[in-house]
Amino acid sequence: MASVAINAQEKAQLESQIRHSIDEIRDFVSIPNNASDHADINRNLTWLTKKFTERGFNTSVLPTSGESLFFATLPIIDGKPTILFYMHFDGQPVDASKWDQKNPYQVVLKSPEGDTFKNELFEDLNTNLNEEWRLFGRSTSDDKGPIVLLLNAFDLLKKNNATLPFNVKIILDSEEENGSKPLPNAVKEYRELLEADFLIINDGPVHSSGKPTIVYGCRGITTMSLTTYGPIKPQHSGHYGNYAPNPGFQLSKLLASMKDKDGKVTIDGYYDGITINEETMVILKDVPDDAEDINKNLQIKAPEKVGSFYQEALQYPSLNIRGLSSGWVGEEARTIVPGSATAELDLRLVPESDGTRLKSLVKKHIEAQGYFVTTKEPTTEERLKHDRVIKITESGVTDAFRTNLNNTYGNFILNTLQKQFQEDVVQIRIMGGTVPIAPFINELKIPAFIVPMVNPDNNQHSPNENLKISQIGYGIRTFYSLLSTPLE
């Protein structure tokens, strides 16, 4: 965590607010938040309305073509610049059987014990607010925790009679974990309501070094599903092996043709438009990544060579096989020639790459390998007419974004964090993951910055998601400093 640079009175105030935040996080997390459950989302909206109203915000539930968004604003004062904060309150589904606690929506307090954690009592926090202890529960870090930290930063601002040099607006997404499909149209519909000078996204973890972090962009994403076909149904491999084409081999050869031995995409034009100048390379190399630690954590001998180091690799679009399926495996394996084989691909995008164009290049490459391409199950006539048949389906595109590192508002965030924590701030040009922010940038024409709050090892999207108590203090201090520091 960033070093502490506050006096005794400020420390006492902060610890009191951390303790209050923990209780509020427990309360908020206890409301399940699967975006596929309409009733869950409505219960979360009710909680948010109550909590933000208590802090003096005007609140609105904004209907969309899917689940509603939550919007809050303090009274607007002419002449002040406006910050728009984006977070999300939905969470990934849970499989309770994979968690080390009975109910992932009931927060459990734990302390580190070697390579594991042991349970602690919440009442012990009243006398020992141990920064190494953690809150375990779904959405403690992604993304309910940061919402609560923002609320508690406002509590602290009010206690200190601090003057806010900004107008403040907050938009909370209800379907981020489902791809935020209604968001682009919703931003257009509520454009006037959302108008601001700049956008701050509070999602994701700080850099693995634990230092204060600003991220200036994130990759976009789109997906494709590829299915190859053999016999109309699985056949006995003794009878038809060497005769019926095996869709698993077809698909594996096709996938292998898309990358070289170093992991670089071989599809013509895939990396077009991407250049990295010397100034940018300096910025990328300034990120304090440790390649040896990364490889050790991944348990790999060497990375692919799309870039010469981790940050450089993130500047290019990726082509990833996220899942493969054909026939049966393990104890269910059987001696058959499968009827089909499927690969699920995800393509991470950078601002220079258009997702629709990249998918078109992939399809063109597949056709060049001799495949007949269809978007639905092939007919008998198509199967009999073509040697190689493939069904391709695809998702929509979530665009990437990247803000210039020399932006005035970015410099404000950078300088504020440096002053608050007395540390160099890690500046990441673009992160590997995807946050659905492009609609705000495209429609509102404002710069956007990701200011993450939570610990790097928070297990977001996974069992045993957690939030370290030290990061609760970090998040409150970050929000407090950003909201109370005038824009120079």
Side-chain angles (χ1 to χ4, degrees):
M1 178 188 165
S3 61
V4 176
I6 53 178
N7 62 39
Q9 181 180 352
E10 290 171 331
K11 183 178 180 182
Q13 275 191 327
L14 179 63
E15 288 183 347
S16 175
Q17 212 64 57
I18 292 171
R19 186 65 188 86
H20 183 266
S21 297
I22 291 169
D23 290 339
E24 211 157 28
I25 289 170
R26 293 175 68 188
D27 186 40
F28 195 13
V29 168
S30 70
I31 308 170
N33 60 342
N34 188 329
S36 300
D37 190 315
H38 178 69
D40 279 355
I41 296 302
N42 280 345
R43 282 188 282 269
N44 280 274
L45 288 167
T46 299
W47 190 95
L48 289 165
T49 299
K50 178 177 183 293
K51 294 295 182 176
F52 275 89
T53 300
E54 288 174 353
R55 270 81 173 193
F57 282 84
N58 299 317
T59 67
S60 301
V61 173
L62 307 180
T64 75
S65 59
E67 295 296 338
S68 297
L69 302 169
F70 177 82
F71 177 76
T73 181
L74 292 175
I76 299 298
I77 299 175
D78 290 341
K80 286 186 178 183
T82 301
I83 305 178
L84 175 64
F85 289 98
Y86 168 94
M87 287 173 271
H88 67 93
F89 61 90
D90 65 315
Q92 285 283 322
V94 300
D95 179 353
S97 67
K98 299 292 193 295
W99 285 66
D100 296 332
Q101 62 198 67
K102 186 176 181 180
N103 183 351
Y105 295 110
Q106 295 297 320
V107 175
V108 174
L109 178 66
K110 296 185 181 185
S111 63
E113 186 176 56
D115 293 332
T116 60
F117 292 87
K118 66 174 183 178
N119 288 5
E120 300 287 353
L121 299 174
F122 280 98
E123 49 262 40
D124 289 344
L125 292 173
N126 298 329
T127 55
N128 177 25
L129 195 64
N130 194 313
E131 291 190 336
E132 296 303 310
W133 292 6
R134 303 186 184 209
L135 309 179
F136 283 78
R138 172 56 81 227
S139 297
T140 49
S141 61
D142 183 28
D143 195 26
K144 285 187 173 183
I147 295 171
V148 172
L149 303 188
L150 177 62
L151 288 167
N152 280 266
F154 277 106
D155 291 343
L156 203 51
L157 287 162
K158 185 176 182 180
K159 289 175 184 177
N160 291 333
N161 295 313
T163 300
L164 273 63
F166 298 98
N167 294 312
V168 179
K169 297 180 179 180
I170 296 152
I171 186 74
L172 303 181
D173 198 347
S174 58
E175 294 191 66
E176 195 270 352
E177 301 294 7
N178 272 357
S180 298
K181 296 178 182 66
L183 193 59
N185 287 335
V187 174
K188 288 182 180 180
E189 182 178 355
Y190 301 112
R191 186 185 188 286
E192 291 185 9
L193 201 63
L194 298 171
E195 283 182 347
D197 292 283
F198 63 111
L199 172 67
I200 295 180
I201 304 108
N202 304 110
D203 196 3
V206 299
H207 184 261
S208 59
S209 64
K211 292 184 176 183
T213 306
I214 305 174
V215 183
Y216 294 83
C218 69
R219 295 200 287 187
I221 190 171
T222 188
T223 64
M224 304 179 75
S225 180
L226 314 179
T227 300
T228 53
Y229 296 89
I232 188 64
K233 58 184 178 180
Q235 297 293 330
H236 191 296
S237 63
H239 297 325
Y240 289 102
N242 288 350
Y243 188 83
N246 188 301
F249 275 111
Q250 287 184 347
L251 186 57
S252 62
K253 289 178 182 177
L254 177 61
L255 294 171
S257 73
M258 296 180 184
K259 283 193 172 186
D260 65 18
K261 61 181 180 62
D262 292 323
K264 295 179 181 177
V265 175
T266 57
I267 297 171
D268 288 344
Y270 203 83
Y271 299 132
D272 281 1
I274 300 168
T275 58
I276 302 177
N277 58 30
E278 290 183 13
E279 180 183 4
T280 300
M281 192 62 77
V282 169
I283 293 165
L284 299 178
K285 289 182 177 179
D286 276 346
V287 179
D289 292 330
D290 187 316
E292 186 175 333
D293 280 351
I294 295 173
N295 295 352
K296 183 179 179 180
N297 290 336
L298 296 176
Q299 295 190 24
I300 59 173
K301 183 177 183 296
E304 295 183 331
K305 295 181 174 56
V306 178
S308 57
F309 57 99
Y310 177 66
Q311 292 298 326
E312 185 183 3
L314 298 181
Q315 311 308 307
Y316 295 88
S318 69
L319 179 61
N320 178 56
I321 302 171
R322 60 177 182 157
L324 278 171
S325 176
S326 184
W328 294 265
V329 298
E331 293 182 358
E332 295 182 349
R334 54 201 71 179
T335 51
I336 52 95
V337 178
S340 65
T342 297
E344 299 290 349
L345 308 182
D346 64 64
L347 292 69
R348 294 284 177 171
L349 313 171
V350 295
E352 294 85 354
S353 62
D354 175 80
T356 301
R357 174 180 171 273
L358 291 192
K359 287 187 291 187
S360 177
L361 292 178
V362 172
K363 287 184 281 189
K364 184 177 178 182
H365 175 86
I366 291 170
E367 289 171 340
Q369 309 303 307
Y371 279 87
F372 169 76
V373 176
T374 179
T375 58
K376 56 185 184 298
E377 285 296 307
T379 64
T380 298
E381 291 75 15
E382 289 169 338
R383 294 172 68 104
L384 292 173
K385 183 178 179 180
H386 302 282
D387 291 329
R388 296 183 180 88
V389 177
I390 188 167
K391 180 180 72 173
I392 301 179
T393 57
E394 55 190 86
S395 70
V397 176
T398 299
D399 291 327
F401 86 89
R402 188 175 63 235
T403 301
N404 191 303
L405 270 73
N406 292 321
N407 182 276
T408 298
Y409 299 107
N411 289 337
F412 159 75
I413 297 170
L414 174 66
N415 294 333
T416 301
L417 292 181
Q418 284 178 335
K419 183 178 179 180
Q420 174 65 214
F421 296 107
Q422 299 296 301
E423 275 201 85
D424 290 336
V425 176
V426 177
Q427 298 182 78
I428 297 175
R429 186 176 187 242
I430 193 166
M431 72 177 191
T434 300
V435 183
I437 297 306
F440 293 97
I441 297 167
N442 295 337
E443 189 65 31
L444 303 180
K445 309 299 181 187
I446 58 175
F449 311 89
I450 301 172
V451 181
M453 299 285 174
V454 303
N455 40 296
D457 57 348
N458 68 81
N459 292 339
Q460 64 189 82
H461 291 199
S462 301
N464 303 318
E465 179 181 347
N466 64 85
L467 176 59
K468 200 172 179 180
I469 289 178
S470 62
Q471 296 301 135
I472 296 176
Y474 171 79
I476 294 173
R477 291 179 67 190
T478 297
F479 280 126
Y480 188 101
S481 61
L482 290 173
L483 289 165
S484 60
T485 303
L487 184 67
E488 296 178 356

